[in-house]
Each structure stands twice: as structure tokens, then as C-alpha cells.
Amino acid sequence: MSYQSDDKGYYGEFGGAFIPEMMYPNVHQLQNCYLEIIESDDFRQEFKQLLRDYAGRPSPLYYSDRLSDHYYAKIYLKREDLNHTGSHKINNTIGQILLAKQLGKTRIIAETGAGQHGVATATVCARAGLDCIVYMGALDVARQSPNVEKMKMLGAEVRPVFSGNKTLKDATNEAIRDWINNPVDTHYILGSVVGPHPYPDMVARFQSVISEEIRMQLLEKTGKETPDYVIACVGGGSNAAGAFYHFLDDPTVKLIAVEAAGKGVDSGESAATTQLGRTGVLHGSKSLLMQTPDGQIVEPYSLSAGLDYPGIGPMHANLFVTKRAQFLSATDDEALRAALYLTQKEGIIPALESAHALAALEMIEFKPDDVVVVNVSGRGDKDMEAYLSYYQSTK
Ligand SMILES: *Cc1c(COP(=O)(O)O)cnc(C)c1O
């Protein structure tokens, strides 16, 4: 059994392309050409070179002495926080902007939650000289203002979205609507492994550089390419998809996906999709989805804007139902505590999203020889307000 998508974009029963007829031209164009383009030698060479010289890859794999002592295991941190623009999102936007140029597109749209994908998109658009419009929920515009300012300085137009609970799901709806209305000149740079085929597979491939590097770096540091555990947080699931990718078919590697439990899985304010969701269709693909008995989307909640989404990508839905990955969840408070702990023990301020992955270290019983890789998907600059109010409340 393979955990990769088939050629129709299915991961087991999940995935596919459930789209209105007006999106056919755009989506079919991508479906028909994405593999040929991204697997061509020219594309791969340019992609690789930009990842290295522009984004700063490979990102370090850092052995954390102090977390290792504390959790009685060998803990490595994959430092996606050190990438240009501060998270793993740049890997995907570099790939997609190269694709958009090959397709002759002149206008780029994107959705964003925490603003990391918006900033990464605005960044590659500045470099490519392409128009950029970023849809962002009005609540997220308010809680992630440093990233909003950056996008504007980079020349992007940020369009606040006032529907729903004014977060990522709503921004994604608006981006899809824009794409339907502008089918010819516009490419939609989707920021996670969600959406209609080919997005989940395409974004996973661009992010797979994370696990490609982990294998090489572990080999160099430990003499063995595979760890015992890979731990990553899941919003839509792109950093986890990248960190898991080259380990998917090796059952000796335990894959741990961490969702946002918000104020608690049973509090009515959470984003723990696998714990609360059922199969449904959102944003063009079939996956697990938080919904009412009659199929209305339940508004998600997480303090972390990047995890505040009522679904997960189809790859992860399949990893969940096949039990290939174990799904845990961390509350706002558990994530805040984990972020403060890493900051004080290692001098690394992680993104609030990544702090959910770190919180999982508290929940697993390791053996002393276990090699554990935690994907630190981004840095915490954008979250200083939340961190400061938490930090003051603990004093
Ligand atoms: C966007 C974001 C996430 C969540 O998105 P995934 O697609 O699940 O990776 C996690 N961490 C950071 C730092 C982000 O910016």
C-alpha cells in the first residue's frame, strides 16, 4: 500500500477534485501539466538553486541537548524557522511561482492565516515582478499585524475577509472565488496540502525537501537515515507532509501529527479535525472535516492562526484512518508552555503553530535511544503579543 496520491489525487478514499464547473479550466490545466513541469531538469535545477541561495536551505538539523536530557530521548529540531521569511511556507511558494511563470500567468492570488504564507507569496511575487493579492480573514489581519505590514511593504494588496469567523477558511473561500472570476491570467498559490487535485500532491512534493534533508542530516550525524519519530503540527498539513514524505513507506518511523485543541477538544472551541470531524468536502477535496450533523462547517478555533482551520489535507486524513500516523492534539495553553520552555532552554522562540508539535514531547513515552525529530515549522516573531501576555500571566 502506498500513502502517496494516485494519479487522480486520491489518498485512499480522500482527495480528488470536487470543484464547480467554472473552475475546470484552471484546475485541469494544472492537473495536466504540473508533473511534467516540476519534474523537468530545468525546473528542478532552478528550484533547488533558489531553495539554497534565496531561502537558505538546507535548514539545520539541531541536536537539542537540553530537551534530550529533559525528555530522555535524542531530540533533534528541524529548523524551518531559519528559512527566509521565517517558516516552511517559502519552499512551496518558490515552487509555485516558478510554475506560474512557466504557465505565463501574470497575477498571483493567495489565502493566508497567520500571514506566513501571505508573506512568502508576496516575497516571491516581488522577486518575480508579478501582481499579488492576498486574502486574509479580518480577525487574522488584526492578530498578525507585523505580517500584514510586511506584505504591504513587499507590494502585495491585502484584502481582509469579513465572512464566517473571519479566519483561514473564509480567506480560502474568497481566493477560490477570485480564481473563478479570473481564470486566464491568474495563478492561485495555495498554501497547504489542501484544495483540489493537484494541490495536495504538488505542495507535498515542494515541501518534501524537508524530509529529504532530514535523511541526509541524520545519516551524517547518527550513521542512520531514519529516526524513530517525526513530529509535526498540522493545520492543513503542509509542513507535516514535507517532514513525513520520505518516511511514509517505512513503518519503522513513527509519524506523529499534532492538531490544535484550542481550549480543549470537547470545549466547542478547537481545531482538532481528526478527533471531531467526519468525511466531507471542503475547498475542492474530500477529507475529514469539522461539521454539524447536517453537514454545516463548524467554525474552528485556535489561538494559533495557522492551525485555525476546520479540515486537514487528504494525505493526513488517509494517514489517520489507516493509522499510519498517530494524531495527538495540544491546547493553546500546552502550546504556550512548550514555546516558553524551548525559548528558555534553547534560546529558540518557535511559532505558536510549531509549539503544538513541541507540546507533543510531553505526551509520548520515549526510550532513551529513540531518535526524535521535531519539525520547528516557523519562528515566533509574529506571535510576540500572545507570548508576552502569557509570559506576564505566569509571573
Ligand atoms: C502555516 C503554518 C503552519 C500550518 O500549516 P501547515 O500547512 O499545516 O504546515 C504551521 N506552522 C507555521 C509556522 C505556519 O506558518
Side-chain angles (χ1 to χ4, degrees):
M1 184 162 94
S2 168
Y3 296 98
Q4 302 288 3
S5 81
D6 66 17
D7 58 3
K8 298 267 186 290
Y10 275 90
Y11 298 83
E13 63 180 290
F14 302 108
F18 295 79
I19 51 174
E21 203 174 317
M22 283 151 78
M23 257 170 98
Y24 284 3
N26 288 328
V27 170
H28 284 170
Q29 183 188 29
L30 272 185
Q31 287 175 351
N32 291 334
C33 69
Y34 83 106
L35 273 183
E36 195 181 314
I37 292 177
I38 72 179
E39 288 187 336
S40 73
D41 285 342
D42 284 354
F43 184 97
R44 285 159 75 121
Q45 209 169 15
E46 195 176 358
F47 181 51
K48 219 174 162 167
Q49 190 209 329
L50 284 172
L51 287 180
R52 188 188 64 207
D53 298 340
Y54 188 69
R57 303 203 72 90
S59 67
L61 184 71
Y62 170 67
Y63 179 72
S64 167
D65 258 326
R66 300 194 74 189
L67 293 193
S68 296
D69 278 353
H70 186 74
Y71 292 110
Y72 303 110
K74 303 196 165 78
I75 314 268
Y76 289 85
L77 305 177
K78 181 59 172 163
R79 300 289 310 276
E80 294 299 298
D81 59 309
L82 293 177
N83 293 336
H84 181 43
T85 73
S87 79
H88 66 291
K89 298 280 181 8
I90 193 77
N91 306 327
N92 171 43
T93 61
I94 289 176
Q96 286 204 47
I97 200 82
L98 294 178
L99 180 82
K101 276 173 54 179
Q102 291 234 359
L103 295 174
K105 305 288 182 177
T106 55
R107 179 175 176 273
I108 299 295
I109 57 171
E111 84 297 339
T112 199
Q116 290 301 106
H117 177 60
V119 168
T121 302
T123 296
V124 296
C125 286
R127 185 180 169 278
L130 297 184
D131 291 340
C132 179
I133 293 158
V134 179
Y135 291 93
M136 187 171 189
L139 175 66
D140 292 336
V141 170
R143 64 179 165 172
Q144 308 274 223
S145 65
N147 276 342
V148 175
E149 299 310 318
K150 281 185 199 165
M151 286 184 265
K152 290 182 179 165
M153 183 166 171
L154 287 159
E157 181 190 336
V158 179
R159 291 193 185 162
V161 175
F162 293 94
S163 55
N165 64 346
K166 307 182 185 66
T167 61
L168 184 53
K169 158 180 69 69
D170 315 294
T172 308
N173 287 337
E174 282 312 309
I176 289 174
R177 197 161 307 167
D178 180 314
W179 206 27
I180 287 173
N181 291 327
N182 298 282
V184 179
D185 63 340
T186 299
H187 175 66
Y188 177 17
I189 300 191
L190 228 171
S192 192
V193 286
V194 301
H197 175 59
Y199 281 104
D201 182 52
M202 180 169 70
V203 176
R205 285 170 188 261
F206 289 145
Q207 294 293 357
S208 71
V209 65
I210 299 173
S211 48
E212 191 182 314
E213 288 175 6
I214 292 172
R215 291 187 81 100
M216 288 184 339
Q217 291 166 323
L218 276 181
L219 181 64
E220 196 184 292
K221 287 175 200 298
T222 70
K224 186 166 174 260
E225 277 182 43
T226 54
D228 296 288
Y229 290 86
V230 182
I231 306 176
C233 67
V234 173
S238 68
N239 86 88
F244 295 170
Y245 197 89
H246 291 285
F247 303 115
L248 283 171
D249 296 322
D250 183 343
T252 67
V253 182
K254 299 181 190 74
L255 307 175
I256 310 285
V258 189
E259 296 179 305
K263 295 181 180 167
V265 172
D266 300 319
S267 67
E269 291 186 78
S270 108
T273 302
T274 60
Q275 307 308 307
L276 301 168
R278 285 182 295 117
T279 301
V281 171
L282 177 67
H283 298 146
S285 74
K286 190 198 279 190
S287 190
L288 292 171
L289 194 59
M290 288 167 45
Q291 53 189 311
T292 60
D294 54 354
Q296 298 295 316
I297 305 297
V298 171
E299 296 293 347
Y301 164 81
S302 168
L303 181 61
S304 151
L307 303 183
D308 197 348
Y309 186 73
I312 50 170
M315 175 200 275
H316 296 292
N318 187 52
L319 293 176
F320 175 73
V321 301
T322 59
K323 300 194 163 66
R324 172 65 187 96
Q326 185 185 358
F327 280 70
L328 302 176
S329 61
T331 63
D332 291 352
D333 281 342
E334 288 167 334
L336 286 165
R337 206 176 316 137
L340 187 59
Y341 192 74
L342 185 71
T343 302
Q344 295 184 337
K345 294 298 170 192
E346 283 289 3
I348 297 169
I349 304 179
L352 198 39
E353 292 80 14
S354 322
H356 288 71
L358 291 157
L361 291 170
E362 297 280 345
M363 305 170 193
I364 303 167
E365 241 183 82
F366 300 111
K367 296 199 284 288
D369 285 336
D370 282 342
V371 171
V372 180
V373 176
V374 184
N375 197 38
V376 182
S377 52
R379 65 177 88 123
D381 306 28
K382 66 186 177 56
D383 299 309
M384 286 315 296
E385 238 181 82
Y387 286 158
L388 286 179
S389 62
Y390 171 72
Y391 184 54
Q392 274 150 12
S393 77
T394 61
K395 274 202 289 202

